[in-house]
Amino acid sequence: MEFFTIILEKSSSMQVLLDNFVKMLDGHRPQNMKLRQAGNGLRKLWDVEVVFDTDGSMYIDRGWKQFIRAYDLRHGYFLVFRYDDNATFAVKLFDTTMCRRRYQDDDDASTLCLFFLSIRLCLTPI
């Protein structure tokens, strides 16, 4: 399953996960998960704690702030989460220019920026 979110000011301390994702877990309530920046293989995994509120909403809590700091994520950045069934999310990170963020250990970020720039140019009125 894949879904996206946009970094908002309030999401810097915890990240809410979609209700449809929680339903997909079919009653399973993990306490811990892992995050990894997509494109760098399994070189760096971030341990995060998952919490649930009284309404059943699921949040990434402990470890989220460290992930945000490590990748310098800011307000307005676009994140695509992909769940791989092993309690691990691969996260694609896009900045406010709509380009995939490039990090030193990336394998595949360079081509995505060109793709998004070409879409942006196509959608720009003449």
Side-chain angles (χ1 to χ4, degrees), residues 54-112:
T54 56
D55 295 329
S57 294
M58 183 177 180
Y59 298 86
I60 298 173
D61 189 14
R62 182 191 52 77
W64 179 246
K65 285 183 193 178
Q66 291 81 359
F67 186 79
I68 292 255
R69 276 191 226 116
Y71 292 105
D72 193 27
L73 302 181
R74 300 177 187 184
H75 186 296
Y77 281 23
F78 184 89
L79 309 180
V80 177
F81 287 81
R82 186 185 48 144
Y83 185 66
D84 74 1
D85 292 328
N86 290 323
T88 302
F89 283 109
V91 186
K92 293 179 184 177
L93 314 167
F94 298 84
D95 63 24
T96 56
T97 67
M98 297 187 287
C99 290
R100 175 112 175 251
R101 294 280 303 201
R102 185 163 177 88
Y103 297 94
Q104 187 174 13
D105 56 359
D106 276 0
D107 295 333
D108 63 352
S110 59
T111 57
L112 284 171

